[in-house]
Amino acid sequence: MAPRDGSQERISTPDTVEKGMATINTLRIGVKAFVEKDGERRKAEILSIKESKKGEPTFYVHYEDFNKRLDEWVPASRLDLSQEVEWPQPEAPTRKSQKSTAPAPKSATLPKSTVGQKRPRTSTTVATSRKSSETPELTTTSGNASKAVRPSLVGGKENRPGSDNSISVIAPEIISGTPKAEDSELDLVDIQDAAAAAKASNPQHNAPYSREEEIEKLRTGGSMTQNQTEISRVRNLDRIQMGAFEMEPWYFSPYPSNFTAADTIHICEFCLSYFASLQTFTRHRAKCNLLHPPGNEIYRDSSVSFFEIDGRRQRRWCRNLCLLSKLFLDHKTLYYDVDPFLFYCMTTRDSHGCHLVGYFSKEKESAEGYNVACILTLPQYQRKGFGKLLIAFSYELSKREAKLGSPEKPLSDLGLLGYRAYWAETVTDVLVEHEKNSRDGRGSGEVSVEEIGALSAMTTNDVLHTLQNLNMLRYSKGQHVIVLTEAVLEAKEKAKAKEKAKGTARRRIEPDRLMWKPPVFTASSRTWNW
Amino acid sequence: MTRAGALSQSRMRQRKLNTRAALQIVREDDLHEADDDLPRVLSGLDSGVEKAEQNEHHLQAALSASQAAVIGGKVAQIYIPTPDAVQSSLQYDKLYPLTYAQPATYVRFSSTVEDCAGCAYDMNEDDHTFFKSMNKKKDASTQCSEDQFEEIMNCFEETAQAKQPYAAVDSPPVLSYDEIESSMDDYLDDHARPFTREIYEHWKTRRLGAGNKNLMIGLKFETGADTDDADPYVCFRRREVRQIRKTRGRDAHSAEKLKKLRKELEESREIMAMIRQREITKREQLAVERQLFEQRANLRQVKLNLPDQYKEGDEDILINQKPKKKPLEIAQRAPGNQYRLPQRSDGRSSDADLVLLSDLLAEQERLLTIDIDTKIAQHQQWNVGYMDMTKAPLTPPLESDAGSTFRTATTEYLPTPPASISSEHSGDVTLDFSVLAMGKADSVAVRYASPSYDGPCHSQPSFRRRYGRGGRLWIDRRGMRLPPKAGFDSPDADRFKYDDDDDEDEVPVYFADPFDTESMQFRARLFPTPSSQAQMQARRAQMEVFSHGASHSSTSVRPSRQAGPD
Ligand SMILES: [Zn+2]
């Protein structure tokens, strides 16, 4: 596809971008050039340059409008220097404030396909292989474990300064992959209209923070967000081996700096200690006798156990956990220590021990009423419905605390999808239950937004957003009503059918199995760093 | 669903929604197409994702897909592509043995990673090579174990860390074996000792190769240097002490404090201003006085020049006259105060004018009596020709029977053993018990070695019985000697009034103790000298009543009043 089609003007943003032809030798950090990616050309910013082993330069690039986890090292051959590149601006004081809002639906050219990409079997294959033209599994409310959106991560709270503001508005791809024939039947117009509408109402960027402001916010805010530096923009580890799995890290994590040289970092599955060599790791395994997260088990059902770990009492373990999760959480920061947090760790059990699947951290005392700070399903366990279970558990704790909760912002992309799916499902369940009761003569068939919140420990705001996202909140005959839409009900039915077909019920948190009282901390421990 | 709906953003205007209001749950079918507001897709809401990332292609694709689904579009669900995890090539079962047995109850656990991971030093590839070659040189009985090797290495590392904490910064020479040897006892048992020297050489080599830095590379913690902040590898900083949360109460408290402070400052400022004013006034006064003096001097001169113009009182002008004593002052006083000491305004006191306290009191008493007498006279004057009927309901009826008259009280003593020797006056008192036993009260004689009490005895004590209002039985006493109380207006009692308590020489006299020998003797004196059997009977009856109505007994004040002119 031509990289310079209509999108070019919109992408190449502001008024005064210095452009020009470049050679390999004149390229430097900050330059934006077109890079070949999966058979197309994407504009990408060069974040780092190094010599390969053969003495050729390689470039670490970030593709604009793609998540940082796709950043990668590319050889010079993939750079398209036949086109002009954008030179970095010398720290212009004026950030571009506005960008084009015209969302010209470039429907014809839209699929920036990810098919054939070496990261295998992404949603594309899953989605398309899973049939369904007439009954597409479309909603996030279906509750089907296999297609649950992986809510793998959620960031720390404060907005990091947007380092990259040149975001174009591009009509959404309906399918991130080559649409199959059936898929082309989809009502593209509809979707694009909706998306366009969504875009049009999108608020534009807020002013970026200065670095000083950001540090100050970190200092006073008690959060876990990342501080952005040049080094930390480049992924520092190549490969992680943990338990029975190996995976690629997604983001930078401040493991010892000489770990960068190692091919694979070994992580002990139980104590989460890290080793740059197989020899040391093997020796550690010979000695390490930890078999589960070092805390109290507070929940156990047939498939999972939850452990509660106090950051202050298990500093080493919690630091190890944070280092590990930073590999997969862009917005997490390890700037400050782990003391003010509790870590709720989900494990599966077998005769090897309790394997860490995911966790969420939670401030011992959250001024903003957050019930989750960071949340992560380890990559080797993603897309199995664990994320939703983690989220459900966090709300179960909130219910036990008799509080409404919401996750700390910003959310990551995966976090947002995971939470939206959970919220949609939860709210739908409440509404269906209410409707059913009223049909059976119990209850009025009416419910307020706050009641839904109280039943689910969701904040009123989250309930409201969910209702609106599901298009359930309507205005009829002069009053608001909640509509159980066909789409929602259909999705629910389908999820049920699938559960039946599979013979396994969806994983749920059973409140009776939670042996937990909200921990109380003394005033002195709160004042003195926990 | 209507396509147009999504397009017409203008109709998406939010009506205010009360989050507490109960909303009807309806099916889409129940909703009349006509009055249904067009479906709204509100993705413009704050998603919670960072703004810069909100427009990432994959996220937007996924969101759009789910939104499309919501309004009935048919789309497949979209995942955000992520790098996949793969099975590790390592042999999992070897590294993680099957040792876990799940307890029946929920796990409770508090050991730390340090507790569970054994020796902190883990042998690396270099170590392993050296370790193998070292053991090869030894026979089977003296092999070094991996654990021992690591313990020794750990000992070296820990000692170096303790003795050269800043090795990373100031790069001192590698610790010598002798320097380490002293601390080995803390780390190593005897079995490991034979290998230390050998392993030290290996450790030294590795240490030199690493620039004498710690071989166990850890995380980068804050060093306090300025570069910390920018270094992304520096992590897990200590949090500053949490700010104490502000509360309304605390705010109010501080506000109160500030108000008080301000008030005090304003007050002191006012005081300073007033002091200033006073000093100014003083200066003016001095100036006036000076002027006055000068004018007087002038006047004197004038008068000296004109001696024939002399007038009586002219001299008075030349000096400051004391203001005249206000006669009013004395006139306003109560009559009893007429005899106050004359004021010594002139600073001289005349001893001759000294007035005795007793005289004063006597005079006061006299005036009181006069006053009462005049009042009585007045009262009688008013009542001439009238009969006062109002008195009757307020006062008890006149007692006509003989019982109403006061009878003299006599005390009867039962035989008692002789007073103990220790008693102060025991030697002075003799009781003739034989006589008493015979019932001859008359002959009971009490002798005193000295008068028991130097105060005057007013009268024989006597009692009477009467009925008061509501039929209450009263015992009126008269002639009882009560111990003088404070404020008792007797001149003798007043005598103590100005005495200092601290005066050790003169112990104040209290008359309250009923078992005091003196008061017992006093009570004995109540015994009447002439008495008859009948009187004794009457007295006994009297005593019974007395004991019954003890709580009603009126004080001596009451009878004296009743004896008064009413
Ligand atoms: Zn371990």
Side-chain angles (χ1 to χ4, degrees), chain A residues 344-457:
Chain A
Y344 294 93
C345 303
M346 183 167 68
T347 63
T348 56
R349 297 179 307 266
D350 62 19
S351 44
H352 294 286
C354 295
H355 309 275
L356 183 69
V357 165
Y359 84 102
F360 63 87
S361 56
K362 177 171 178 164
E363 274 180 286
K364 288 173 180 172
E365 195 178 75
S366 169
E368 290 91 346
Y370 294 131
N371 65 352
V372 161
C374 289
I375 182 166
L376 171 75
T377 308
L378 290 173
Q380 61 268 40
Y381 296 101
Q382 285 180 6
R383 274 183 260 179
K384 292 183 172 65
F386 285 118
K388 206 177 277 181
L389 206 59
L390 269 178
I391 296 175
F393 191 79
S394 75
Y395 279 105
E396 208 56 53
L397 296 186
S398 289
K399 286 180 196 168
R400 197 57 69 89
E401 290 174 305
K403 286 179 183 167
L404 303 183
S406 189
E408 191 177 310
K409 314 296 179 307
L411 296 167
S412 68
D413 50 355
L414 296 175
L416 175 69
L417 295 182
Y419 264 101
R420 283 215 175 158
Y422 172 81
W423 288 335
E425 194 177 301
T426 306
V427 169
T428 307
D429 283 353
V430 169
L431 294 174
V432 168
E433 178 83 4
H434 253 77
E435 199 209 27
K436 189 167 167 288
N437 282 349
S438 89
R439 288 195 181 180
D440 298 351
R442 287 170 288 137
S444 62
E446 290 188 344
V447 69
S448 72
V449 172
E450 288 194 3
E451 277 169 334
I452 299 171
L455 288 167
S456 58

Side-chain angles (χ1 to χ4, degrees), chain A residues 123 147 149 174 186 197-198 244 246 269 283 287 297 334-335 349 352 355 411 435 447 513 526 529, chain B residues 9 23 27 43 48 74 77-79 86 88 92 96 102 106-107 121 147 150 229 236 239 242:
Chain A
S123 55
K147 70 202 262 298
V149 187
I174 300 109
L186 303 185
E246 280 183 30
E269 196 181 10
R283 274 305 296 160
K287 290 180 286 182
E297 193 179 9
L334 306 185
Y335 195 88
R349 297 179 307 266
H352 294 286
H355 309 275
L411 296 167
E435 199 209 27
V447 69
R513 296 178 180 271
R526 281 197 298 271
N529 293 327
Chain B
Q9 295 296 309
L23 308 176
R27 291 287 174 113
S43 61
K74 296 187 186 313
Q77 193 185 353
I78 285 171
Y79 290 116
V86 296
S88 171
Y92 184 79
Y96 299 90
Q102 179 182 281
Y106 285 18
V107 173
Y121 189 89
D147 287 343
E150 285 177 350
D229 250 7
F236 302 125
R239 252 169 232 267
R242 281 171 69 93

Side-chain angles (χ1 to χ4, degrees), chain A residues 268-273 275 284-285 288 290, chain B residues 117:
Chain A
C268 174
E269 196 181 10
F270 295 124
C271 73
L272 308 181
S273 297
F275 304 90
H284 168 77
R285 281 307 309 154
C288 177
L290 204 61

Side-chain angles (χ1 to χ4, degrees), chain B residues 4 19 47 63 148 151 156 213 250 259 267 302 304 342 402 483 489 563:
Chain B
T19 55
S47 62
L63 290 178
Q148 284 169 337
E151 270 165 33
F156 293 159
K213 285 191 183 128
R250 196 184 296 277
K259 270 186 206 163
E267 275 172 2
V302 169
L304 283 176
D489 46 355

Side-chain angles (χ1 to χ4, degrees), chain B residues 518-531:
Chain B
E518 270 186 349
S519 38
M520 277 161 67
Q521 283 168 350
F522 163 69
R523 284 201 296 273
R525 270 182 54 201
L526 298 179
F527 216 81
T529 1
S531 65

Side-chain angles (χ1 to χ4, degrees), chain A residues 3-19:
Chain A
R4 308 199 43 136
D5 65 1
S7 66
Q8 171 85 19
E9 290 83 76
R10 284 180 284 109
I11 289 174
S12 53
T13 45
D15 349 297
T16 58
V17 172
E18 196 193 334
K19 288 187 180 183

